Each structure stands twice: as structure tokens, then as C-alpha cells.
Amino acid sequence: MFSLKPPRPTFRSYLLPPPQTDDKINSEPKIKKLEPVLLPGEIVVNEVNFVRKCIATDTSQYDLWGKLVCSNFKISFITDDPMPLQKFHYRNLLLGEHDVPLTCIEQIVTVNDHKRKQKVLGPNQKLKFNPTELIIYCKDFRIVRFRFDESGPESAKKVCLAIAHYSQPTDLQLLFAFEYVGKKYHNSEA
């Protein structure tokens, strides 16, 4: 009448619980190198150190310091600092806590506070000034702000131009999803 086998789960979660660590076992301080977690086929295009990610709009109290990395798939902000006011401790399998996929970017604005200039960056445009701030408007209504106060001006300029180039490609075949296709799609003749 009734099946004794438990039903097979049909729901798949893409969030993992946080890893549990024992601080009592490893009392040595861990030195963490700021490196991005990359997918297979993902390539780092440009990076800049000593970047500040602005969390709150009214104060710089919660800002995070780290490294901004642009790959051919996403923008990653890598930091050692924990996220302030964090309620949930789950991790996405594809994207990190501070990652923005390049296909999610709507508009890129660079700002220079000293010259009081702003420029909306397109795919093949040039920057005539060194940016002190990068504002990214996302298609999912996020606004992400980065400050380049302590980083080199030329490296900040290069990473802004790389983000603009890879987020709005002139040919759709240049997107990461088209560039990296699994082997099973290439061997579908048999």
C-alpha cells in the first residue's frame, strides 16, 4: 500500500551553510592571501589593491578595505574584514559575497573628486582623468561604490576601463558564457 522508501529530494539549494572551524585547535594566526575564487575558464583581466568598498552612504565607518579584481565573468572585491551587520551566513556556489557578474552591470560611472568630473564609461571609451571613485549601477538595482584613495591612479584607471570593456562587449561571443562552453556541447555529433 505505502512505499517504505523515503521520497527522493527534488529541491536543490545553491547556498551552503558556513564552514565550522575550531579556533581552539588552530591557535596560530592565519595569513590569508587576497586571491579571487575563479570558475573553470575564468581569467583575471585586471586588479587593483588598497580599494575601499563603501557600504553605507552617510558614513565611512562600515567601509571595507581590500582588492578589486576584474575577470572575464565578474567583478570581485576580496577582503579580510567580515561584512558588518550580516544576518545570514550562507555562501553562493558561483558568486562570492562581494561579487558582481559583468552581465548584471547596467552603467559604470567614474568620478574624480579633485577635478570635479564624472564620466559614464562605455565599452570603447577613454578616460582623460584618474578616477578616485567608481560607481556601478546594476540591473538588479544594486549600487556598488569603490574608492581609490590609497591605490595607484594608473591602476585604478586601468581596472575601470577593463570593467567597462568586459561588461559591455561589442560582440556577444566575447561573453564568458559563450567563450567557455563545456566539452559535451562540442562532442554532440555522436
Side-chain angles (χ1 to χ4, degrees):
M1 221 193 244
F2 295 106
S3 175
L4 296 176
K5 288 197 286 186
R8 191 172 138 207
T10 58
F11 176 76
R12 177 170 177 167
S13 174
Y14 291 98
L15 299 175
L16 296 175
Q20 296 180 359
T21 58
D22 280 339
D23 291 334
K24 296 176 184 176
I25 296 172
N26 295 331
S27 60
E28 300 174 7
K30 295 180 181 178
I31 299 173
K32 184 178 178 184
K33 192 173 181 182
L34 298 179
E35 292 296 324
V37 178
L38 302 175
L39 296 173
E42 189 176 358
I43 302 166
V44 172
V45 177
N46 210 324
E47 59 187 32
V48 61
N49 289 315
F50 308 114
V51 177
R52 188 175 74 189
K53 182 178 182 183
C54 303
I55 303 296
T57 57
D58 55 347
T59 181
S60 63
Q61 178 182 0
Y62 300 112
D63 290 354
L64 300 175
W65 287 91
K67 180 180 188 178
L68 183 64
V69 177
C70 175
S71 72
N72 58 348
F73 171 62
K74 65 187 174 197
I75 300 169
S76 293
F77 180 75
I78 307 153
T79 182
D80 277 341
D81 300 333
M83 183 76 170
L85 306 172
Q86 186 176 8
K87 295 179 184 176
F88 302 106
H89 297 285
Y90 290 103
R91 188 173 65 90
N92 190 312
L93 293 178
L94 294 178
L95 299 171
E97 188 175 1
H98 304 285
D99 292 352
V100 177
L102 292 175
T103 54
C104 186
I105 295 175
E106 179 70 30
Q107 189 177 45
I108 301 167
V109 178
T110 55
V111 179
N112 186 314
D113 293 338
H114 307 296
K115 295 183 180 181
R116 298 177 191 235
K117 288 187 176 182
Q118 285 188 5
K119 182 168 185 176
V120 177
L121 279 181
N124 291 325
Q125 291 184 336
K126 294 182 179 179
L127 259 173
K128 295 183 180 179
F129 58 87
N130 294 324
T132 56
E133 185 174 5
L134 172 68
I135 305 170
I136 299 173
Y137 295 94
C138 300
K139 293 177 183 174
D140 58 358
F141 302 109
R142 286 184 293 169
I143 299 174
V144 185
R145 291 178 51 222
F146 297 105
R147 300 276 309 170
F148 303 112
D149 298 328
E150 302 294 325
S151 61
E154 285 300 317
S155 58
K157 187 178 191 178
K158 287 179 184 177
V159 80
C160 290
L161 291 172
I163 291 170
H165 177 73
Y166 280 90
S167 66
Q168 301 166 354
T170 54
D171 184 15
L172 288 179
Q173 297 295 324
L174 297 176
L175 288 173
F176 176 73
F178 291 110
E179 185 177 325
Y180 181 73
V181 178
K183 292 180 182 178
K184 76 175 191 179
Y185 294 109
H186 289 297
N187 297 332
S188 61
E189 297 170 3

